Amino acid sequence: MNRKRNSASFTDIGDYMKVFACTAVMMQTVLSLVLSTNPSFNYQTPIGIIYNLVKFTAPAFIFGILYTTTRTTNQNTWGNYGGYMRKQWSALFVPTIWWTLAYLLIFPNIQQVKPFNSIGTFCWNFINGNAAPHLWYNTMMLQFIILMPFFWALAHWVKDSTKRGLLAIIITVIFFAAWIYFYDMQVFHGPHEQSWYLLDRIFISFVIYGIFGVLAWMFRDKFETLIKKAVPFLIVIFLAVYYWTNRELFNFGYPVKLANAPYYKPSMALYALTVIGLVAALAIHHINTNSKVLPIFHFLATYAYRAYLSNVFWLQIIWHLGGINLSKINPLLNIIICYILTWGLSFTSAYGFHIAWSKIKSSINKTNSEKSLE
């Protein structure tokens, strides 16, 4: 088992988090678009309920990324930062650049807050996540990648020390609770709701999930034992908190506004952590039983990030080819069809572009090799 855990091809809890998060975030995108057509209140109710059900994506993704990255790089120090960033540049930053350009140039109408009207505002929307509805998360996630040395330092500090691990958890929970309280008072329907909206994409707003991802790997044996025993309690908490989040959303009345279900509330934070626990339990069960689905999850996790980047692009095409018309006839049927097509196209394109680019690089390397021999 230890040998497999050190293998890059090993399917871990982080892979499950990425797949579940990517799959769920595509549903969020579809629900938001269908709701923008102002369906009747009878349709808005299930849309809101389903939206709350999949409202765990960003926390789960961050937990998964930090878990897997800690597993593969926890021995690293600042001396490894250059090599680490070169690898992340090709894996994460290059796809981000291309897809962000695609959104800004091909679908500029889906920009958030303010569309660009100059070179300066184009560059600003390029980096702040406003180029498309889902890219705010990408801006936040990349901050964790850049700040990875601090998480390596945390891994080194807590190593083999349960007391330090518990201290890290206590400090993180206290800090995060204070942050959510601040956000609730000042930003969410507060005096700075419009001017401070960028706080939702600063890594601090999701740092608890990153730190917990690091600790889950560093104390993986204790974590797995705890999760196995806690499953019945997690299910009860899941049902209770899910009811809580739905009650909060519908207390705002109709029409339903998904902006009233942000991540930065105690209910949503607890819900996200509960779902992370349940997904981890499923992953642990599959890993321990050497389930046949492990290669599938590993494959999907490999392309999850690139599929996530492209999902709004494909949804826009589907929407303009008939999705918008079907939404007027039967919004729920439209949600199902748009979701299935978006999921399929997103993962297919991620894999297809990867294969195509691999062949191009192979051809270039072969040509350069032949030239060097002349």
Side-chain angles (χ1 to χ4, degrees):
M1 180 64 73
N2 288 332
R3 179 183 64 82
K4 286 186 176 182
R5 284 189 182 276
N6 291 324
S7 171
S9 62
F10 175 70
T11 306
D12 66 11
I13 293 173
D15 286 339
Y16 275 68
M17 295 297 168
K18 296 169 194 172
V19 173
F20 271 84
C22 182
T23 299
V25 78
M26 293 181 192
M27 177 58 77
Q28 287 185 8
T29 305
V30 173
L31 293 172
S32 298
L33 194 55
V34 172
L35 190 60
S36 69
T37 63
N38 298 315
S40 68
F41 292 172
N42 289 335
Y43 285 114
Q44 290 186 29
T45 299
I47 288 175
I49 292 173
I50 298 171
Y51 187 81
N52 274 332
L53 181 65
V54 296
K55 190 67 176 182
F56 62 87
T57 55
F61 222 131
I62 293 300
F63 181 95
I65 288 173
L66 269 294
Y67 183 94
T68 299
T69 305
T70 302
R71 175 175 70 84
T72 56
T73 67
N74 68 84
Q75 299 297 326
N76 285 3
T77 63
W78 275 104
N80 306 103
Y81 190 56
Y84 164 80
M85 283 304 296
R86 282 192 292 273
K87 184 177 180 180
Q88 299 306 318
W89 172 258
S90 60
L92 303 178
F93 287 87
V94 171
T96 294
I97 291 170
W98 284 115
W99 280 112
T100 303
L101 283 174
Y103 288 120
L104 287 172
L105 299 178
I106 300 176
F107 293 118
N109 59 297
I110 64 174
Q111 291 175 83
Q112 305 296 291
V113 187
K114 292 182 180 180
F116 73 86
N117 54 20
S118 66
I119 295 178
T121 54
F122 179 92
C123 294
W124 177 233
N125 280 0
F126 188 94
I127 64 174
N128 69 9
N130 284 342
H134 66 315
L135 291 183
W136 69 269
Y137 159 75
N138 194 66
T139 296
M140 177 273 298
M141 185 274 294
L142 291 178
Q143 295 170 53
F144 281 89
I145 300 301
I146 294 171
L147 296 172
M148 197 60 204
F150 296 99
F151 295 100
W152 291 336
L154 172 64
H156 293 316
W157 183 70
V158 302
K159 186 177 182 180
D160 300 326
S161 175
T162 303
K163 290 183 178 180
R164 289 186 175 184
L166 290 173
L167 180 60
I169 292 174
I170 292 171
I171 293 174
T172 300
V173 170
I174 293 174
F175 170 80
F176 194 70
W179 178 259
I180 288 182
Y181 177 78
F182 163 79
Y183 192 96
D184 186 55
M185 292 295 101
Q186 297 297 320
V187 184
F188 181 57
H189 294 317
H192 301 287
E193 183 174 14
Q194 301 300 322
S195 57
W196 289 2
Y197 75 92
L198 288 175
L199 287 180
D200 68 2
R201 62 204 66 182
I202 292 179
F203 77 97
I204 293 175
S205 295
F206 293 86
V207 72
I208 188 173
Y209 312 108
I211 291 176
F212 280 11
V214 173
L215 297 177
W217 171 255
M218 295 307 296
F219 299 98
R220 54 195 175 277
D221 293 333
K222 293 182 176 63
F223 175 71
E224 292 182 9
T225 300
L226 174 64
I227 289 297
K228 289 178 184 178
K229 294 180 179 179
V231 169
F233 302 99
L234 289 174
I235 293 174
V236 173
I237 294 172
F238 170 85
L239 295 174
V241 179
Y242 184 48
Y243 171 79
W244 182 11
T245 60
N246 279 296
R247 184 173 181 177
E248 285 183 330
L249 175 60
F250 291 107
N251 277 344
F252 286 98
Y254 291 84
V256 171
K257 295 183 179 179
L258 300 181
N260 290 324
Y263 286 109
Y264 325 105
K265 296 190 300 182
S267 58
M268 282 298 183
L270 184 56
Y271 180 74
L273 290 171
T274 304
V275 173
I276 287 172
L278 290 172
V279 173
L282 177 65
I284 291 168
H285 172 71
H286 283 174
I287 292 169
N288 290 343
T289 58
N290 196 27
S291 172
K292 293 181 179 180
V293 304
L294 290 176
I296 297 174
F297 271 93
H298 186 74
F299 175 82
L300 292 175
T302 301
Y303 300 99
Y305 177 68
R306 281 165 280 190
Y308 149 77
L309 284 174
S310 68
N311 85 93
V312 173
F313 183 90
W314 298 117
L315 178 57
Q316 282 294 310
I317 294 176
I318 295 167
W319 191 251
H320 287 94
L321 288 178
I324 188 171
N325 295 324
L326 181 57
S327 189
K328 297 175 182 177
I329 300 172
N330 191 321
L332 293 183
L333 177 61
N334 189 40
I335 288 171
I336 296 172
I337 293 175
C338 286
Y339 175 72
I340 293 174
L341 291 175
T342 299
W343 193 97
L345 287 171
S346 297
F347 275 98
T348 299
S349 65
Y351 178 70
F353 289 150
H354 169 73
I355 296 300
W357 178 237
S358 296
K359 290 182 177 180
I360 291 172
K361 287 195 299 182
S362 178
S363 177
I364 293 174
N365 291 335
K366 182 179 180 180
T367 300
N368 291 336
S369 178
E370 291 175 347
K371 286 183 179 180
S372 65
L373 294 175
E374 293 178 356

